[in-house]
Amino acid sequence: MRPALLVFGHALAVAWFLPALLSRLTSSGISARLGLAAWLTAMASVLASVVVALQYLAVAAIAGWSQLAEAVCRSVTGGRCTAVVYRSAAFEFALGVAAVAAALALALLAWRYGRSVQRAQQRTRAHAEAARITGRRLAGAGAAVVLDAARPAAYCVPGRPAAIVLTSGALAVLDPRQLTAVLAHERAHLAGRHHVLIALTRGLAATFPGVPLFTRGPAEVARLAEMCADDAAARHSSRSTLITALLAMGTGAAVPAAALAATTCAVAARVQRLLEPARPACHARNRLALITVMLLLALVPALVTRFAGPLTAHGLYGA
């Protein structure tokens, strides 16, 4: 019983207290890809820890119900738990009801998560199909389509095939080089399958609305995915071209490279990040901190189960 409680305690600690630390480490987007990996690792660590804790309890139930009743009783009440208590029909009945309720709750959460992800995929596929039907092909841009809309916008819609959607307003404010940078940004989203990561994390937020890691995670994953795509686009085009493209899309007016100095004070966080890249030493410290967090997230549950007890009936019922 002790290993199950320790592993579950690790999951609770990560889910409630780690988001604040991760937000500080990833807010600047210094190492966007590592930051994205850290958020995903934290979520995976919580889910894996809960599964391991449930495995411990399942092994306990299979190995012997009376032993499980004793282990639960002693874990909850300590020395006040006696054989009269944990061997009573009332206690075993209450434990059975709790086990059934937990199993039903787990099945309901799994169903809600699957349903949430499925609905998101259906909406995405429907939007992609509508964009391909109503939009017009952009010559020389592969799967890109143009929709008539005054507001500048560009986004990718996964599907079979995927589509990159631009509005006529975006084409009006982007020059050819800036358009190439925007297309490279959207292709980076598709290549990195960022839509899958966002759909999965949003599904967790919908399934576990009271868990800070899962409620904050989708916004952080989406923000870092944008920065990862920015980095890919900056490698494909020049950094200044991407910056002017982002400014043009954000302001709705064409922005030449020479105007950067006049607009620096009002740029958004993504543009500011591109304008002022982190120094090598700061970049190295941030990468080291994120790698350390990810290693701890991966190793702590394994160490807890290794030293607290093996996944056997002996390890479960041992003091």
Side-chain angles (χ1 to χ4, degrees):
M1 195 67 190
R2 182 189 300 168
L5 294 175
L6 290 174
V7 174
F8 190 68
H10 164 78
L12 291 178
V14 171
W16 259 263
F17 300 113
L18 190 64
L21 174 61
L22 282 181
S23 293
R24 286 197 296 270
L25 291 176
T26 62
S27 60
S28 62
I30 294 176
S31 306
R33 185 173 295 182
L34 266 180
L36 180 60
W39 278 96
L40 296 173
T41 300
M43 295 182 200
S45 178
V46 170
L47 294 174
S49 296
V50 171
V51 169
V52 170
L54 292 175
Q55 278 185 294
Y56 275 110
L57 295 177
V59 169
I62 294 171
W65 186 258
S66 60
Q67 290 178 303
L68 175 62
E70 180 182 359
V72 170
C73 183
R74 292 190 183 279
S75 297
V76 174
T77 63
R80 293 189 297 275
C81 179
T82 64
V84 174
V85 176
Y86 64 76
R87 288 179 182 174
S88 66
F91 184 84
E92 291 197 354
F93 177 77
L95 184 61
V97 170
V100 171
L104 291 176
L106 185 63
L108 177 62
L109 290 174
W111 179 83
R112 285 184 58 185
Y113 179 72
R115 185 62 176 163
S116 175
V117 173
Q118 183 184 40
R119 285 179 176 174
Q121 290 175 338
Q122 290 173 345
R123 288 193 297 267
T124 298
R125 285 195 293 266
H127 188 88
E129 185 64 23
R132 283 191 290 266
I133 293 173
T134 60
R136 64 181 187 274
R137 289 276 184 171
L138 181 63
V145 297
V146 180
L147 298 178
D148 290 325
R151 181 180 178 182
Y155 54 92
C156 59
V157 186
R160 297 181 182 178
I164 296 175
V165 180
L166 299 105
T167 62
S168 54
L171 295 182
V173 298
L174 296 174
D175 65 28
R177 293 179 61 194
Q178 293 167 347
L179 177 59
T180 299
V182 169
L183 291 173
H185 174 98
E186 300 306 329
R187 291 190 184 107
H189 278 315
L190 293 172
R193 300 187 66 80
H194 294 159
H195 56 281
V196 175
L197 302 180
I198 292 172
L200 293 176
T201 54
R202 284 178 178 172
L204 289 174
T207 306
F208 305 98
V211 180
L213 178 66
F214 295 146
T215 54
R216 294 178 64 173
E220 296 292 340
V221 167
R223 180 178 62 84
L224 291 166
E226 289 296 332
M227 292 180 178
C228 288
D230 285 343
D231 292 340
R235 290 191 295 268
H236 183 274
S237 304
S238 67
R239 187 180 294 267
S240 60
T241 299
L242 176 60
I243 291 171
T244 56
L246 293 175
L247 287 171
M249 295 288 288
T251 61
V255 178
L260 276 180
T263 57
T264 301
C265 295
V267 295
R270 285 168 57 201
V271 176
Q272 191 69 39
R273 170 179 174 269
L274 292 168
L275 283 170
E276 300 178 359
R279 297 175 182 176
C282 185
H283 199 279
R285 287 195 300 270
N286 187 262
R287 288 176 63 88
L288 179 60
L290 289 171
I291 291 172
T292 301
V293 169
M294 286 190 288
L295 286 175
L296 289 174
L297 287 170
L299 292 176
V300 168
L303 292 174
V304 167
T305 56
R306 171 66 179 84
F307 291 105
L311 191 61
T312 63
H314 176 73
L316 283 163
Y317 302 132

